[in-house]
Amino acid sequence: MNRPHARFDRGHTDDLMSFLAASPSPYHAVANAAARLEKAGFKEIAETDPWDTSTGGKYVLRGGALIAWYVPEGAAAHTPFKIVGAHTDSPNLRVKPIPDSGSHGWRQVAVEIYGGPLLNSWLDRDLGLSGRLTLRDGTTRLVNVDRPLLRVPQLAIHLDRSVHTDGLKLDKQRHLQPVWGLGDAHEGDLIRFLEQELGLAAGEVTGWDLMTHSVEAPAYLGRDHEFVAGPRMDNLLSLHAGTAALAATASDSLDFIPVLAAFDHEENGSQSDTGADGPLLGGVLERSVFARGGSYEDRARAFAGTVCLSSDTGHAVHPNYAERHDPTHHPRINGGPILKVNVNNRYATDGSGRAVFAAACERAGVNFQSFVSNNAMPCGTTIGPITAARHGIKTVDIGVAILSMHSAREMCGAEDPVLLANALASFLES
């Protein structure tokens, strides 16, 4: 699997748009990433099986999370890791355990708010339905109804003139329930519909993890197509770049083990068996050490030499709200990836971490920008501080600057995904 120096071009952004469209849920996202890694020679291994000492590319899938790594020929048990971290989930509307509801002749789907979406961006938008179904025998099936199926209709201005003076106010329980038909609601209708969509027998589905998504395709935007508009850039943009970088750089010539760690549930705190605050990454890395005959001492040595780039989207300076940004830090669209810094550890970057990322960007010929929050504004966070604290490994927070973060449809620069992928590849192959 020796490869030439990895470099990505504008075709990477075209491919990102296809990846976004094909990945409406975390389960689809990791399945698509895994398929790309399979083409690069990686093989899935089960957590329930014993792991052997074989070298090469491997990956583990668990729900909406994926951990992939490449063991070079002759790698010692104490070989350190280089990790690209990302997350697979995005804020949206998710289906409740009893989905079928409605009133006044409308059939509706009961949904719960996941994460922190910009609620107004889900109004009057054609929505599909996607996710994972669990069958009576315990197996799972992916489902993607990628056509206009649901809609959250906004109240007409004639019935709420206060919108002009008081702004739009949405009640999360009453105002976000989408419609999908006429008539009376009957228990089991939605799941029976999905069983029919997949050609399953009635009653075969006994569990579900379902969510809505915009069916509008990603598209280039702007006079010179310098922007991309699309869903779930936070954070499938990073997952896509990390997958491409790992597949392109995995090689027996490496003196470390490159890793892609893609977690679910970042948008609501990462505390799950597939989240960054769970045991998944540590367990996989430790088993990799022990499978190569390593001891706890080898595990400690490997972790001590490990570095993680936590890649997540950040805020580009907004032309209409520039005062919300720090006056001396204005990340620009198509200006290259951003280095995120917060001295209160909402991001994990420190000076030595900055040097790691700066070196990777220099080798790749990629400019990078710095991001810090306005002192008067609260700072978001990522999987970075969690990864650093839970595993005791050096972590650096980076990403791509976008607009409309947490909208049903976000916006980035058309060049930035390429620049991020090249920076990540430089980090993994150095």
Side-chain angles (χ1 to χ4, degrees):
M1 290 187 63
N2 290 300
R3 294 183 173 84
H5 191 59
R7 282 292 179 269
F8 301 100
D9 56 24
R10 185 65 173 263
H12 176 87
T13 302
D14 296 335
D15 189 63
L16 167 65
M17 295 164 68
S18 299
F19 186 81
L20 293 173
S23 305
S25 77
Y27 313 109
H28 290 84
V30 296
N32 289 325
R36 290 161 183 252
L37 292 172
E38 288 268 358
K39 289 183 179 179
F42 284 68
K43 302 296 183 184
E44 182 177 8
I45 58 176
E47 292 184 83
T48 53
D49 290 343
W51 292 5
D52 58 32
T53 61
S54 63
T55 59
K58 311 165 189 286
Y59 70 89
V60 164
L61 283 177
R62 183 193 290 183
L66 174 147
I67 310 293
W69 66 103
Y70 185 90
V71 181
E73 186 73 34
H78 62 268
T79 302
F81 302 92
K82 279 198 173 183
I83 304 169
V84 171
H87 67 88
T88 63
D89 58 321
S90 300
N92 55 19
L93 310 178
R94 301 206 172 186
V95 176
K96 289 184 175 181
I98 302 177
D100 302 289
S101 66
S103 62
H104 305 287
W106 293 95
R107 296 170 66 188
Q108 295 176 275
V109 174
V111 296
E112 188 173 5
I113 310 302
Y114 178 83
L118 287 172
L119 296 178
N120 63 294
S121 71
W122 291 87
L123 302 177
D124 297 330
R125 191 178 292 275
D126 296 338
L127 303 176
L129 198 64
S130 61
R132 176 179 68 173
L133 302 175
T134 302
L135 308 187
R136 191 171 296 279
D137 63 3
T139 60
T140 59
R141 293 279 297 274
L142 297 182
V143 61
N144 181 13
V145 184
D146 195 32
R147 63 178 186 272
L149 180 68
L150 308 102
R151 185 179 178 91
V152 182
Q154 189 171 186
L155 185 64
I157 187 65
H158 313 79
L159 303 178
D160 186 14
R161 303 214 180 249
S162 66
V163 166
H164 286 314
T165 56
D166 301 334
L168 179 64
K169 297 179 180 178
L170 296 173
D171 183 293
K172 293 181 179 179
Q173 179 61 40
R174 295 185 294 126
H175 298 155
L176 274 298
Q177 307 305 310
V179 299
W180 78 304
L182 295 174
D184 296 329
H186 299 284
E187 185 176 351
D189 275 355
L190 180 67
I191 301 306
R192 280 192 291 271
F193 165 78
L194 295 176
E195 288 172 336
Q196 293 170 1
E197 286 285 307
L198 293 184
L200 299 172
E204 196 168 348
V205 173
T206 57
W208 51 89
D209 302 281
L210 299 169
M211 59 205 71
T212 60
H213 67 272
S214 171
V215 300
E216 186 178 2
Y220 284 108
L221 178 71
R223 185 191 68 177
D224 299 316
H225 291 179
E226 60 261 62
F227 312 122
V228 173
R232 299 176 295 280
M233 291 182 183
D234 178 13
N235 185 35
L236 296 190
L237 189 159
S238 294
L239 171 61
H240 176 260
T243 302
L246 178 62
T249 60
S251 167
D252 285 333
S253 64
L254 300 176
D255 56 4
F256 52 86
I257 297 173
V259 179
L260 173 66
F263 301 102
D264 202 352
H265 303 131
E266 189 272 348
E267 298 292 355
N268 60 10
S270 295
Q271 292 185 320
S272 70
D273 69 322
T274 53
D277 203 18
L280 180 58
L281 176 61
V284 168
L285 299 185
E286 288 178 349
R287 289 185 70 177
S288 176
V289 170
F290 298 152
R292 284 174 280 126
S295 63
Y296 182 82
E297 178 72 8
D298 292 312
R299 180 260 189 216
R301 292 176 65 189
F303 277 43
T306 293
V307 181
C308 173
L309 292 188
S310 164
S311 182
D312 202 346
T313 54
H315 303 295
V317 61
H318 197 300
N320 300 335
Y321 301 90
E323 73 281 0
R324 302 295 182 96
H325 300 263
D326 182 86
T328 59
H329 294 76
H330 281 176
R332 296 177 179 269
I333 293 287
N334 285 331
I338 56 175
L339 179 77
K340 302 179 180 181
V341 178
N342 180 265
V343 295
N344 294 301
N345 290 328
R346 299 292 286 173
Y347 302 129
T349 307
D350 62 10
S352 62
R354 184 188 193 280
V356 169
F357 187 58
C361 288
E362 183 178 3
R363 287 190 299 269
V366 170
N367 291 323
F368 73 92
Q369 311 175 80
S370 294
F371 172 84
V372 65
S373 290
N374 185 307
N375 288 340
M377 304 290 294
C379 181
T381 191
T382 68
I383 65 168
I386 295 171
T387 303
R390 182 170 183 85
H391 306 295
I393 59 180
K394 178 179 290 297
T395 304
V396 189
D397 273 299
I398 66 163
V400 162
I402 70 171
L403 291 181
S404 307
M405 186 183 293
H406 286 197
S407 171
R409 194 168 177 85
E410 298 163 324
M411 175 177 161
C412 75
E415 301 298 331
D416 282 330
V418 182
L419 298 175
L420 175 65
N422 283 326
L424 294 180
S426 174
F427 167 72
L428 288 180
E429 69 188 356
S430 62

